[in-house]
């Protein structure tokens, strides 16, 4: 009997424990469900509105275009243009849903089927260290991208699920898809389908076709592994998987899949990342003053010509002496920067020697000395003497070691005679030379010691190139610029460059005279290595101990400056401006001007009346009309009444015939101050010296 009672009590106790377990489980489930409901309610109340979710605080995309419109670099996180749901191609929506969440339209934000499958996989792979995969819905990915992070933990997963359920209660499926497709990361810095489409295919996402949509949709799983620019074969293989999933989900047919030629999708070329970065590093900071602050994606159109940039890089690398650096700046006639090389290799050194480094220009500085002399009354044919010079103990020497005696200004410049430059500096005044350099765009400090005429003040290559370009433009100021236009991603114009031709730096005849001198320097002087088979005007520059070599010049509307030297300013024995820099100039310019018409320089212009030589016959006999009692004029061109002679040929009393100077009309003096007023330069200068007579 006892045994029988015991057997009856055991099932009863087991049944009791089972019921208790069920009750506890149900209670726990109810409590858990209640907790989830409460959590979702609280999360729902804390969710921002849809407009706030659309905003992107993660950074600004800037796409930089070359002169031909091609993209040369993309900077910052790329968010592209925000596309509303109705603007997104249906094939893109179908591809993404089929790949990432095929039950998206049926679950409440969390997919129980997907979670069960992921749990089963986790059980199978326990102990292997592999993560739980395949459980995140599109809604969960949206919450992770916007509110959470990618850290993998159980707590983060619970918060992600709660937020996903809340998100589905507050927003429609269309809105969630719109958020997802505009914010998901596709690799290469591209967030959202528009940024991905522009980066990988070179066009907006509104025109994506089936093959392109399949490639984009396939990137989400592993952006770095399936990026078309990193591994095109892997991207194509993954796109094939996406197409298979779309067929399985019934959104495309097998015929559609066959027609999608993913192997021949045209990919946008990767922008250059080496020497062109010197240009973008210089140009892009200018956006701060060109446009108002904006968080919108920007399209920046620049002046850089990629074929000229490649030629410039090749010319520098081919000619720079071993162990030295080189830089090049090339400007179009309006100041547009067509090529800019800041060093041999941007990856190795991003220090920009074209726009940042300051080095002594040597004899290239003499353009300011000679322009000051031309403005003061000298001409290319004016006679000067190459002889020993002593200026307060400073005795400049010529590189040849000898003196040439009587020569003209043209010869002195062509052969870079130092003694003549020193004498001209004394004649016009060293502050006047410094002022001329300032006028032409030199922004670095300038000393006014006598040796300054030989280029002892540090300058930037871009400033010197700017000065030469202003001479080429016949004395009109040139300002280098790199940005032609800035628009938003949807094409709204924010800025457009306007050329300014209003600032005249010197009179046209001064610029013409300077061009005459520089053309001679290339034709017969120190710059012969810069000849390219068409008219070139330029000037060499070599500093003491050959620490710096320069050549700057222009032809057919292009002005180019070349510098070479060591970053530590140590001497380079073979470095002279007329050698490697001049050869690099020639190599580059042959490419740069190849498609431009040959232009002859205008070196013959009408000089102002005060500088014209008298007619040849004026050197012989008396002034015109004197025998016939003609009129005489004073230094201002005003008539002077000639003393009358008596019948005996004697002059009448001087006092009787003298005209009171107070009675003469006083004209405006045609001096330097008058020229400054005409050119709009409100400053005082030293009076110009009297021109040296031609021998």
């Amino acid at each position: 009997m006892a045994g029988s009672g015991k057997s009856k009590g055991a099932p009863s106790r087991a049944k009791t424990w089972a019921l208790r377990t069920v009750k506890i489980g149900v209670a726990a489930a109810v409590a858990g469900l209640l907790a989830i409901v409460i959590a979702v309610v609280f999360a729902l109340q804390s969710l921002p509105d849809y407009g706030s979710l659309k905003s992107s605080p993660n950074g600004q995309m800037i796409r930089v275009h070359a002169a031909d419109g091609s993209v040369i670099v993309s900077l910052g996180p790329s968010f592209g243009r925000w596309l509303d749901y109705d603007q997104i191609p249906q094939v893109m929506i179908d591809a993404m849903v089929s790949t990432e969440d095929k039950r998206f339209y049926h679950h409440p934000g969390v997919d129980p089927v997907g979670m069960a499958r992921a749990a089963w996989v986790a059980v199978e792979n326990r102990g292997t260290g592999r993560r739980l995969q395949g459980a995140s819905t599109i809604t969960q990915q949206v919450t992770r991208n916007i509110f959470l992070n990618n850290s993998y933990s159980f707590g983060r997963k619970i918060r992600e699920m709660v937020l996903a359920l809340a998100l589905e209660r507050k927003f429609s499926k269309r809105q969630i898809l719109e958020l997802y497709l505009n914010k998901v990361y596709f690799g290469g810095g591209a967030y959202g389908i528009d940024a991905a489409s522009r980066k990988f295919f070179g066009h907006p996402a509104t025109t994506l076709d089936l093959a392109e949509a399949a490639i984009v949709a396939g990137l989400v799983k592993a952006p770095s592994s399936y990026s078309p620019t990193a591994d095109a074969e892997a991207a194509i293989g993954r796109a094939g998987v996406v197409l298979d999933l779309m067929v399985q989900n019934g959104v495309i047919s097998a015929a559609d899949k066959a027609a999608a030629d993913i192997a021949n999708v045209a990919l946008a070329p990767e922008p250059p990342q080496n020497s062109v970065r010197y240009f973008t590093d210089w140009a892009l900071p200018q956006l701060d003053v060109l446009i108002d602050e904006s968080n919108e994606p920007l399209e920046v159109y620049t002046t850089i010509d990629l074929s000229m940039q490649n030629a410039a890089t090749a010319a520098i690398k081919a000619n720079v002496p071993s162990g030295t650096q080189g830089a090049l700046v090339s400007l179009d006639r309006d100041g547009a920067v067509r090529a800019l090389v800041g060093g041999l290799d941007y990856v190795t050194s991003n220090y920009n020697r074209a726009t940042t480094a300051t080095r002594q220009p040597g004899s290239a500085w003499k353009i300011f000395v000679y322009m000051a002399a031309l403005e003061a009354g000298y001409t290319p044919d004016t006679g000067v003497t190459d002889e020993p010079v002593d200026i307060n103990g400073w005795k400049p020497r010529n590189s040849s070691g000898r003196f040439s005696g009587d020569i003209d200004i043209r010869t002195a410049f062509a052969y870079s005679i130092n003694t003549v430059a020193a004498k001209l500096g004394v004649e016009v005044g060293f502050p006047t030379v410094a002022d001329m350099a300032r006028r032409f765009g030199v922004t670095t400090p300038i000393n006014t010691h006598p040796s300054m005429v030989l280029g002892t003040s540090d300058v930037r290559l871009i400033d010197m190139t700017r000065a030469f370009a202003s001479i080429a433009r016949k004395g009109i100021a040139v300002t280098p610029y790199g940005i032609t236009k800035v628009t938003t991603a949807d094409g709204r114009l924010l800025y457009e460059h306007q050329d300014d031709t209003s600032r005249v730096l010197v009179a046209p005849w001064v610029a013409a005279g300077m061009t005459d001198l520089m053309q001679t320097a290339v034709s017969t002087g120190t710059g012969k290595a810069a000849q390219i088979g068409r008219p070139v005007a330029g000037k060499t520059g070599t500093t003491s101990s050959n620490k710096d070599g320069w050549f700057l010049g222009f032809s057919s509307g292009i002005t180019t400056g070349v510098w070479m030297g060591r970053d530590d300013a140590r001497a380079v024995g073979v470095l002279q401006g007329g050698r490697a820099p001049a050869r690099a100039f020639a190599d580059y310019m042959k490419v740069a001007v190849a498609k431009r018409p040959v232009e002859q320089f205008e070196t013959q212009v009408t000089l102002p009346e005060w500088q014209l030589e008298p007619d040849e016959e004026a050197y012989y006999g008396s002034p015109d009309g004197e025998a016939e009692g003609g009129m005489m004029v004073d230094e201002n061109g005003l008539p002077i009444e000639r003393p009358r002679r008596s019948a005996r040929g004697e002059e009448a009393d001087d006092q009787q015939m003298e005209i009171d100077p107070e009675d003469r009309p006083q004209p405006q003096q045609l001096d330097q101050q008058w020229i400054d007023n005409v050119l709009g330069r409100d400053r005082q200068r030293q009076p110009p010296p009297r021109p040296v007579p031609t021998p």
Side-chain angles (χ1 to χ4, degrees), residues 437-592:
R438 281 273 180 263
R439 216 191 298 177
F440 274 76
V442 174
T443 56
T444 45
I446 302 172
N447 70 67
T448 54
H449 303 305
S451 61
M452 64 93 72
V453 299
L454 303 185
T456 57
S457 296
D458 289 343
V459 295
R460 296 183 178 90
L461 175 59
I462 194 169
D463 287 350
M464 289 296 292
T465 309
R466 171 186 186 179
F468 277 74
S470 297
I471 297 171
R473 211 179 187 187
K474 304 175 185 177
I476 297 175
V478 169
T479 301
Y481 70 97
I483 298 175
T484 59
K485 184 175 66 173
V486 181
T487 70
T488 59
D490 57 2
R492 180 166 56 88
L493 182 66
L494 301 179
Y495 165 80
E496 189 166 22
H497 176 78
Q498 299 293 329
D499 187 21
D500 179 11
T501 60
S502 63
R503 294 190 301 124
V504 180
L505 305 178
V506 292
W509 53 270
V510 174
M514 196 68 239
T515 302
D516 184 340
L517 300 182
M518 290 195 291
Q519 186 175 11
T520 306
V522 175
S523 298
T524 63
T526 58
K528 288 187 288 186
Q531 296 175 5
I532 60 173
R534 62 171 69 197
V536 175
K539 183 70 182 76
T540 59
T542 308
T543 60
S544 60
S545 303
N546 294 10
K547 295 178 181 178
D548 301 272
W550 299 69
F551 188 87
L552 304 103
F554 49 85
S555 177
S556 303
I558 295 292
T559 302
T560 299
V562 176
W563 167 87
M564 293 180 183
R566 290 177 59 99
D567 286 338
D568 58 8
R570 292 174 58 185
V572 182
V574 297
L575 184 60
Q576 294 180 345
R579 294 184 178 178
R583 290 195 294 267
F585 171 91
D587 288 351
Y588 165 73
M589 288 291 283
K590 288 175 183 176
V591 177

Side-chain angles (χ1 to χ4, degrees), residues 135-156:
S136 290
T137 64
I138 283 178
T139 312
Q140 288 176 265
Q141 293 182 51
V142 170
T143 61
R144 184 167 62 245
N145 290 337
I146 297 178
F147 303 110
L148 304 174
N149 54 48
N150 288 322
S151 65
Y152 189 81
S153 67
F154 185 75
R156 194 269 294 165

